[in-house]
Amino acid sequence: MRSMSRRLFSSSICAIAATSIVAFSSPAHAAPDALGKPVGHFSLEAKSADIGIGFTWGEGKLTYKGRTYRFKVSGGNIAAVGFSKITAAGTVYNLKNLHDFDGGYAALDGDATLDRGIGGAVMSNSNGVKVKFTSATRGAHLAAGAQGLSFQIREK
């Protein structure tokens, strides 16, 4: 009798847990993005070499209004040491004209990577364009303080 009660109790707990997982893992509506409606997407690959002041260089692709544009990546950070390779993908907001994508993007934070790291940021430029991205880094890298990237659309 005791064994049957335990099995019934265990089965009930499993059923409640399964129902809870289904209820909480499938929301009725996706939460809206705090930055607004995305207008484009981008991906980039860059390398960063840092001895005191860091320097970053690379290239990326922007998809905007159904077309793909290549862009140059450059930038740096203050108080950094190491070498790393960065890949990132993200979303673009508030872009009204293609060349408003050009310019310096800034974020204030610090990061540390040893071998492999995953990160992300929200950055904006002086044209009001915002980018939100996730990145993966390989190598050894330590940075603190202001970081910035500059994007420049390449003419064909």
Side-chain angles (χ1 to χ4, degrees):
M1 182 79 138
R2 207 175 216 169
S3 155
M4 185 187 294
S5 295
R6 284 186 183 164
R7 271 188 271 160
L8 183 57
F9 180 74
S10 294
S11 296
S12 298
I13 295 296
C14 289
I16 291 169
T19 303
S20 298
I21 289 170
V22 170
F24 289 113
S25 66
S26 56
H29 299 285
D33 195 318
L35 296 175
K37 183 179 178 185
V39 295
H41 299 280
F42 73 97
S43 62
L44 65 85
E45 288 191 8
K47 294 180 181 172
S48 181
D50 312 296
I51 303 175
I53 295 177
F55 183 71
T56 302
W57 70 97
E59 59 183 36
K61 291 181 182 178
L62 166 69
T63 302
Y64 175 64
K65 292 186 176 182
R67 295 190 58 199
T68 300
Y69 304 90
R70 297 176 72 80
F71 63 93
K72 178 182 168 185
V73 177
S74 59
N77 49 39
I78 300 169
V81 176
F83 179 83
S84 59
K85 180 179 177 185
I86 305 147
T87 57
T91 310
V92 180
Y93 302 84
N94 205 32
L95 179 61
K96 296 180 177 94
N97 297 305
L98 176 62
H99 285 285
D100 286 345
F101 185 74
D102 292 347
Y105 290 78
L108 188 62
D109 65 0
D111 69 75
T113 301
L114 184 57
D115 188 31
R116 295 179 188 174
I118 297 174
V122 175
M123 303 174 89
S124 62
N125 71 11
S126 62
N127 297 321
V129 178
K130 292 183 167 108
V131 295
K132 178 172 67 173
F133 63 91
T134 56
S135 61
T137 308
R138 294 187 74 161
H141 183 256
L142 176 64
Q147 297 187 38
L149 291 175
S150 181
F151 299 154
Q152 181 73 44
I153 297 291
R154 292 183 185 258
E155 300 299 329
K156 293 186 177 194

